[in-house]
mmCIF file with all atom_site columns, all heavy atoms in Angstrom:
data_model
loop_
_atom_site.group_PDB
_atom_site.id
_atom_site.type_symbol
_atom_site.label_atom_id
_atom_site.label_alt_id
_atom_site.label_comp_id
_atom_site.label_asym_id
_atom_site.label_entity_id
_atom_site.label_seq_id
_atom_site.pdbx_PDB_ins_code
_atom_site.Cartn_x
_atom_site.Cartn_y
_atom_site.Cartn_z
_atom_site.occupancy
_atom_site.B_iso_or_equiv
_atom_site.pdbx_formal_charge
_atom_site.auth_seq_id
_atom_site.auth_comp_id
_atom_site.auth_asym_id
_atom_site.auth_atom_id
_atom_site.pdbx_PDB_model_num
ATOM 1  N N   . ILE Z 1 11 ? 2.447  -34.981 -33.104 1.00 0.00 ? 33 ILE Z N   1
ATOM 2  C CA  . ILE Z 1 11 ? 3.854  -34.578 -33.113 1.00 0.00 ? 33 ILE Z CA  1
ATOM 3  C C   . ILE Z 1 11 ? 3.972  -33.049 -33.225 1.00 0.00 ? 33 ILE Z C   1
ATOM 4  O O   . ILE Z 1 11 ? 3.252  -32.421 -34.018 1.00 0.00 ? 33 ILE Z O   1
ATOM 5  C CB  . ILE Z 1 11 ? 4.572  -35.246 -34.302 1.00 0.00 ? 33 ILE Z CB  1
ATOM 6  C CG1 . ILE Z 1 11 ? 4.500  -36.777 -34.178 1.00 0.00 ? 33 ILE Z CG1 1
ATOM 7  C CG2 . ILE Z 1 11 ? 6.022  -34.768 -34.439 1.00 0.00 ? 33 ILE Z CG2 1
ATOM 8  C CD1 . ILE Z 1 11 ? 5.251  -37.356 -32.988 1.00 0.00 ? 33 ILE Z CD1 1
ATOM 9  N N   . PHE Z 1 12 ? 4.889  -32.475 -32.443 1.00 0.00 ? 34 PHE Z N   1
ATOM 10 C CA  . PHE Z 1 12 ? 5.213  -31.044 -32.553 1.00 0.00 ? 34 PHE Z CA  1
ATOM 11 C C   . PHE Z 1 12 ? 6.205  -30.898 -33.700 1.00 0.00 ? 34 PHE Z C   1
ATOM 12 O O   . PHE Z 1 12 ? 7.310  -31.451 -33.651 1.00 0.00 ? 34 PHE Z O   1
ATOM 13 C CB  . PHE Z 1 12 ? 5.819  -30.552 -31.232 1.00 0.00 ? 34 PHE Z CB  1
ATOM 14 C CG  . PHE Z 1 12 ? 6.337  -29.150 -31.282 1.00 0.00 ? 34 PHE Z CG  1
ATOM 15 C CD1 . PHE Z 1 12 ? 5.518  -28.093 -31.646 1.00 0.00 ? 34 PHE Z CD1 1
ATOM 16 C CD2 . PHE Z 1 12 ? 7.668  -28.873 -30.961 1.00 0.00 ? 34 PHE Z CD2 1
ATOM 17 C CE1 . PHE Z 1 12 ? 5.998  -26.787 -31.690 1.00 0.00 ? 34 PHE Z CE1 1
ATOM 18 C CE2 . PHE Z 1 12 ? 8.162  -27.575 -31.000 1.00 0.00 ? 34 PHE Z CE2 1
ATOM 19 C CZ  . PHE Z 1 12 ? 7.326  -26.530 -31.368 1.00 0.00 ? 34 PHE Z CZ  1
ATOM 20 N N   . LYS Z 1 13 ? 5.837  -30.129 -34.752 1.00 0.00 ? 35 LYS Z N   1
ATOM 21 C CA  . LYS Z 1 13 ? 6.668  -30.103 -35.962 1.00 0.00 ? 35 LYS Z CA  1
ATOM 22 C C   . LYS Z 1 13 ? 7.873  -29.170 -35.832 1.00 0.00 ? 35 LYS Z C   1
ATOM 23 O O   . LYS Z 1 13 ? 8.951  -29.473 -36.353 1.00 0.00 ? 35 LYS Z O   1
ATOM 24 C CB  . LYS Z 1 13 ? 5.821  -29.749 -37.178 1.00 0.00 ? 35 LYS Z CB  1
ATOM 25 C CG  . LYS Z 1 13 ? 4.947  -30.930 -37.608 1.00 0.00 ? 35 LYS Z CG  1
ATOM 26 C CD  . LYS Z 1 13 ? 3.888  -30.564 -38.619 1.00 0.00 ? 35 LYS Z CD  1
ATOM 27 C CE  . LYS Z 1 13 ? 4.427  -30.285 -40.004 1.00 0.00 ? 35 LYS Z CE  1
ATOM 28 N NZ  . LYS Z 1 13 ? 3.307  -29.980 -40.931 1.00 0.00 ? 35 LYS Z NZ  1
ATOM 29 N N   . GLY Z 1 14 ? 7.720  -28.044 -35.187 1.00 0.00 ? 36 GLY Z N   1
ATOM 30 C CA  . GLY Z 1 14 ? 8.881  -27.130 -35.083 1.00 0.00 ? 36 GLY Z CA  1
ATOM 31 C C   . GLY Z 1 14 ? 8.463  -25.805 -34.469 1.00 0.00 ? 36 GLY Z C   1
ATOM 32 O O   . GLY Z 1 14 ? 7.269  -25.491 -34.367 1.00 0.00 ? 36 GLY Z O   1
ATOM 33 N N   . THR Z 1 23 ? -1.492 -26.960 -38.584 1.00 0.00 ? 45 THR Z N   1
ATOM 34 C CA  . THR Z 1 23 ? -0.386 -27.557 -39.352 1.00 0.00 ? 45 THR Z CA  1
ATOM 35 C C   . THR Z 1 23 ? 0.942  -27.516 -38.601 1.00 0.00 ? 45 THR Z C   1
ATOM 36 O O   . THR Z 1 23 ? 1.932  -28.060 -39.085 1.00 0.00 ? 45 THR Z O   1
ATOM 37 C CB  . THR Z 1 23 ? -0.229 -26.839 -40.699 1.00 0.00 ? 45 THR Z CB  1
ATOM 38 O OG1 . THR Z 1 23 ? -0.164 -25.424 -40.429 1.00 0.00 ? 45 THR Z OG1 1
ATOM 39 C CG2 . THR Z 1 23 ? -1.398 -27.126 -41.619 1.00 0.00 ? 45 THR Z CG2 1
ATOM 40 N N   . ASP Z 1 24 ? 0.975  -26.884 -37.438 1.00 0.00 ? 46 ASP Z N   1
ATOM 41 C CA  . ASP Z 1 24 ? 2.192  -26.932 -36.624 1.00 0.00 ? 46 ASP Z CA  1
ATOM 42 C C   . ASP Z 1 24 ? 2.308  -28.273 -35.897 1.00 0.00 ? 46 ASP Z C   1
ATOM 43 O O   . ASP Z 1 24 ? 3.320  -28.547 -35.255 1.00 0.00 ? 46 ASP Z O   1
ATOM 44 C CB  . ASP Z 1 24 ? 2.191  -25.796 -35.587 1.00 0.00 ? 46 ASP Z CB  1
ATOM 45 C CG  . ASP Z 1 24 ? 2.184  -24.433 -36.248 1.00 0.00 ? 46 ASP Z CG  1
ATOM 46 O OD1 . ASP Z 1 24 ? 2.814  -24.314 -37.321 1.00 0.00 ? 46 ASP Z OD1 1
ATOM 47 O OD2 . ASP Z 1 24 ? 1.550  -23.506 -35.710 1.00 0.00 ? 46 ASP Z OD2 1
ATOM 48 N N   . MET Z 1 25 ? 1.235  -29.049 -35.972 1.00 0.00 ? 47 MET Z N   1
ATOM 49 C CA  . MET Z 1 25 ? 1.214  -30.367 -35.339 1.00 0.00 ? 47 MET Z CA  1
ATOM 50 C C   . MET Z 1 25 ? 0.829  -31.394 -36.402 1.00 0.00 ? 47 MET Z C   1
ATOM 51 O O   . MET Z 1 25 ? 0.221  -31.046 -37.409 1.00 0.00 ? 47 MET Z O   1
ATOM 52 C CB  . MET Z 1 25 ? 0.180  -30.376 -34.205 1.00 0.00 ? 47 MET Z CB  1
ATOM 53 C CG  . MET Z 1 25 ? 0.558  -29.465 -33.049 1.00 0.00 ? 47 MET Z CG  1
ATOM 54 S SD  . MET Z 1 25 ? -0.862 -28.963 -32.025 1.00 0.00 ? 47 MET Z SD  1
ATOM 55 C CE  . MET Z 1 25 ? -1.455 -27.525 -32.932 1.00 0.00 ? 47 MET Z CE  1
ATOM 56 N N   . GLU Z 1 26 ? 1.160  -32.621 -36.158 1.00 0.00 ? 48 GLU Z N   1
ATOM 57 C CA  . GLU Z 1 26 ? 0.912  -33.650 -37.164 1.00 0.00 ? 48 GLU Z CA  1
ATOM 58 C C   . GLU Z 1 26 ? 0.509  -34.945 -36.470 1.00 0.00 ? 48 GLU Z C   1
ATOM 59 O O   . GLU Z 1 26 ? 1.181  -35.371 -35.519 1.00 0.00 ? 48 GLU Z O   1
ATOM 60 C CB  . GLU Z 1 26 ? 2.203  -33.873 -37.941 1.00 0.00 ? 48 GLU Z CB  1
ATOM 61 C CG  . GLU Z 1 26 ? 2.053  -34.770 -39.142 1.00 0.00 ? 48 GLU Z CG  1
ATOM 62 C CD  . GLU Z 1 26 ? 3.385  -34.905 -39.884 1.00 0.00 ? 48 GLU Z CD  1
ATOM 63 O OE1 . GLU Z 1 26 ? 4.437  -34.511 -39.292 1.00 0.00 ? 48 GLU Z OE1 1
ATOM 64 O OE2 . GLU Z 1 26 ? 3.393  -35.404 -41.004 1.00 0.00 ? 48 GLU Z OE2 1
#
Side-chain angles (χ1 to χ4, degrees):
Chain Z
I33 300 295
F34 173 57
K35 285 168 72 178
T45 51
D46 298 325
M47 293 158 274
E48 188 178 14

